[in-house]
Amino acid sequence: MSIESLGHLESKLQNLIDKLELTRMELEELRTANTRMEQENAELKQELSAWGERVGALLGKLDNVSEDAVTEEEAAYEA
């Protein structure tokens, strides 16, 4: 092999090494972002669950108020 060919091969290898290192850095950044998003997703699921419970409680109260109103109307008709 000529020195020129070895120089060309060295250049290609260095480019591949540089690309590999950049890819590793990007992968680490993506893993970090993924972890952060998984945590955020878990928090949002908890928040959604809490809101669902609140809505359920409010609907239960609304049902009680409606039942009380119907009972009062029935009592008024009987009187």
Side-chain angles (χ1 to χ4, degrees):
M1 272 191 155
S2 71
I3 294 183
E4 187 177 303
S5 296
L6 288 174
H8 186 67
L9 181 60
E10 181 183 10
S11 175
K12 283 186 174 185
L13 284 173
Q14 188 59 49
N15 284 338
L16 287 173
I17 291 169
D18 292 345
K19 286 180 183 180
L20 179 61
E21 191 59 36
L22 284 174
T23 302
R24 285 182 179 167
M25 289 170 38
E26 288 175 14
L27 179 60
E28 185 59 35
E29 289 175 8
L30 290 172
R31 283 183 177 158
T32 302
N34 187 44
T35 300
R36 187 180 64 247
M37 288 179 171
E38 285 175 345
Q39 290 171 346
E40 184 180 346
N41 188 34
E43 292 171 4
L44 289 171
K45 283 181 179 180
Q46 289 176 347
E47 189 176 330
L48 179 61
S49 177
W51 277 105
E53 291 174 8
R54 288 178 181 168
V55 168
L58 289 173
L59 290 174
K61 288 179 181 179
L62 185 60
D63 285 342
N64 290 340
V65 169
S66 296
E67 289 173 5
D68 290 345
V70 168
T71 303
E72 289 175 5
E73 287 179 14
E74 288 175 351
Y77 286 127
E78 291 176 0

